């Protein structure tokens, strides 16, 4: 996280050069083309049937988007100011691509699953829907350790609900009716779309003047890139279509950062608090946002939602069966449940935990050391802008995912989206300001 100012400026310049080449269309072309290749490989080689089904549909969507961008590039070459090659057209292509590569496969798999196919959803879909049923019938989404132990060995893994209690809300529709539109993925998509729409609206409401028009245009282009990273990036589109539980959490975190940019700390706290009531991955983002709020004398307002909502979600489950809550939310993720987590992507933490003597202790120590380092950084140099907040969250989660003994490749969608979202959080300025301390380096840079 520490870099000298000239190096940071060079990196920003290289990224901006790549991002703005051909009005942003060059990177669009690369994104869609590489995504099409990924989808084809997934359709052909994946051992997970829902993933193969996603790839077969998404490959067509990405290929169509690639051809459309090629046409836009040719049009722009003939007429650089052509509207069909401009930013609004790029937004339209992004929306249609998300519909074709995430929403269409999601709806297709939901409909086939409702008609009797058993290979059209990942396990987390079943887990969330069962949690919704238990919440409706018993007042808690969790099974206790005795109830899980009583299940057949092959079903004990699905008996765990390693999420926060709020996630069960997405399973409630299935508890009420067994049809395609009650599939939890449909409601994951609705929650994701709503949170992203609110985030885009919040950032676009930032006032601009004639003097800030150029900066505002760059911000809008960066906003499009951030939305692409949270929607059409294959790791996000695949996750939403086949599992989906991470996407509303991510979208709410992005909304919280957008609200922080527009100086609404209380609402930012509520947004990240909603995310934290769904999944633990939002809690580090909440802590960094509270540190940001303290620099603006708004730490209490941020913390009220960021901490209050997750606690309010936990209390009913704790009162109904605190042992079940502990078994699902703490013991199982930490590797002390009746069965082990299938999250075993070969990141450094997993490799250390499984290949070295006392590997799990070493991996845990490295993870704790990383958390302490970030905490020290927040205490000494708390983030004063939403941009820096997003960068700390992105790099911090990237380090945590790499060092966790049990993790998934799909979790990378969090740091990738947060780091890509950061440039969209810059606020338009009227004129260059005097040199100011760079918040990540502590050195002096020009604004």
């Amino acid at each position: 996280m520490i870099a000298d100012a000239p190096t940071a400026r060079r990196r920003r310049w290289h990224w901006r050069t790549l991002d703005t080449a051909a009005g942003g269309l060059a990177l669009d072309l690369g994104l869609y083309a590489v995504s099409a290749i990924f989808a084809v490989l997934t359709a052909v080689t994946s051992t997970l049937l829902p993933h193969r089904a996603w790839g077969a549909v998404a490959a067509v969507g990405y290929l169509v988007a690639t051809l459309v961008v090629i046409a836009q590039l040719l049009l722009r070459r003939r007429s650089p100011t052509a509207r069909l090659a401009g930013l609004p057209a790029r937004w339209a292509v992004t929306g249609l691509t998300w519909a074709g590569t995430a929403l269409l496969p999601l709806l297709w798999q939901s409909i086939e699953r409702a008609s009797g196919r058993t290979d059209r959803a990942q396990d987390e879909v079943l887990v969330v829907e069962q949690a919704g049923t238990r919440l409706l019938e018993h007042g808690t989404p969790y099974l206790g350790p005795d109830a899980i132990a009583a299940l057949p060995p092959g079903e004990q893994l699905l008996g765990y609900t390693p999420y926060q209690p709020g996630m069960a809300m997405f399973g409630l529709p299935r508890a009420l009716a067994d049809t395609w539109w009650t599939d939890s993925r449909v409601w994951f998509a609705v929650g994701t779309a709503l949170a992203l729409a609110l985030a885009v609206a919040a950032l676009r409401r930032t006032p601009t003047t004639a003097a800030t028009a150029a900066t505002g245009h760059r911000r809008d282009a960066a906003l499009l890139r951030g939305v692409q990273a949270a929607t059409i990036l294959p790791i996000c589109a695949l996750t939403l279509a086949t599992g989906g539980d991470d996407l509303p959490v991510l979208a709410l975190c992005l909304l919280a950062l957008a609200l922080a940019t527009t100086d609404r700390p209380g609402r930012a706290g509520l947004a990240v608090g909603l995310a934290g009531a769904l999944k633990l991955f939002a809690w580090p983002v909440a802590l960094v946002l509270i540190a940001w709020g303290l620099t603006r004398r708004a730490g209490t307002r941020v913390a009220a939602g960021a901490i209050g909502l997750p606690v309010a979600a936990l209390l009913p489950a704790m009162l109904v069966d605190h042992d079940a809550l502990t078994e699902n939310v703490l013991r199982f993720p930490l590797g002390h449940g009746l069965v082990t987590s299938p999250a075993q992507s070969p990141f450094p933490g997993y490799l250390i935990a499984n290949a070295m003597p006392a590997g799990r202790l070493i991996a845990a120590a490295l993870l704790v050391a990383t958390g302490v380092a970030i905490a020290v950084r927040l205490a000494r140099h708390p983030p004063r802008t939403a941009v820096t907040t997003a960068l700390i969250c992105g790099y911090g989660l990237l380090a945590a995912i790499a060092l966790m003994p049990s993790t998934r490749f799909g979790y990378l969608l969090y740091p990738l989206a947060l780091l890509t979202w950061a440039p969209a959080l810059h606020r338009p300025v009227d004129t260059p300001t005097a040199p100011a301390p760079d918040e990540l380096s502590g050195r002096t840079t020009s604004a």
Side-chain angles (χ1 to χ4, degrees), residues 134-424:
R134 286 194 290 268
L135 178 64
L136 192 64
E137 295 177 352
H138 306 294
T140 177
Y142 305 115
L143 284 177
D146 293 338
I148 296 174
L151 295 172
E155 299 178 13
Q156 288 181 353
L157 180 61
L158 293 179
Y160 278 97
T161 304
Y163 309 116
Q164 298 302 290
M167 188 67 76
M169 301 299 293
F170 290 99
L172 285 178
R174 193 73 169 192
L176 299 173
D178 186 3
T179 184
W180 70 267
W181 59 266
T182 60
D183 190 297
S184 60
R185 288 170 293 183
V186 173
W187 298 98
F188 290 146
V190 170
T192 300
L194 179 59
L196 285 177
L198 291 173
V200 170
L203 291 173
R204 282 187 162 177
R205 280 199 296 267
T206 303
T208 58
T209 64
T212 64
T215 306
H217 179 80
R218 287 198 299 270
R219 190 270 318 277
D220 289 344
L223 179 58
L224 171 60
R225 195 68 74 201
V227 170
Q228 288 176 332
T231 55
I232 61 173
L233 200 67
I235 197 172
C236 294
L238 169 62
T239 298
L240 183 62
T242 61
D245 56 279
D246 287 296
L247 270 299
V249 180
L250 172 64
L252 285 167
C253 290
L254 299 182
L255 172 60
L257 291 166
L259 293 170
T261 299
T262 56
D263 289 325
R264 285 178 276 188
R267 296 183 184 182
L270 290 173
V272 78
L274 285 174
L278 302 178
K279 204 163 186 179
L280 278 172
F281 262 102
W283 289 24
V285 179
L287 294 176
V288 181
L289 270 171
I290 292 172
W292 165 83
L294 291 172
T295 68
R296 313 181 77 83
R297 297 182 180 179
T300 303
R301 280 187 287 164
V302 178
I307 298 176
L309 287 178
V311 170
L314 284 168
L315 278 176
M318 185 179 297
L319 293 174
V320 172
D321 191 340
H322 71 276
D323 196 32
L325 174 67
T326 303
E327 177 71 19
N328 285 264
V329 177
L330 293 178
R331 295 190 192 122
F332 178 73
L334 293 175
H336 298 293
L338 299 176
V339 293
T340 58
S341 171
Q344 297 178 350
S345 296
F347 289 123
Y350 172 77
L351 296 176
I352 292 171
N354 290 274
M356 297 179 63
R360 294 192 72 86
L361 290 177
I362 295 173
L366 291 173
L367 188 60
V368 170
T370 301
V372 171
I374 295 174
V376 171
R377 192 258 184 247
L378 291 175
R380 295 183 60 185
H381 303 288
R384 297 182 179 276
T385 66
V387 176
T388 308
T389 303
L391 292 174
I392 293 174
C393 292
Y395 287 123
L397 284 175
L398 182 61
I401 291 167
L403 294 174
M404 288 169 61
S406 298
T407 187
R408 294 180 186 271
F409 178 78
Y411 292 157
L412 289 176
L413 65 87
Y414 287 98
L416 288 176
L418 286 166
L419 293 174
T420 310
W421 190 251

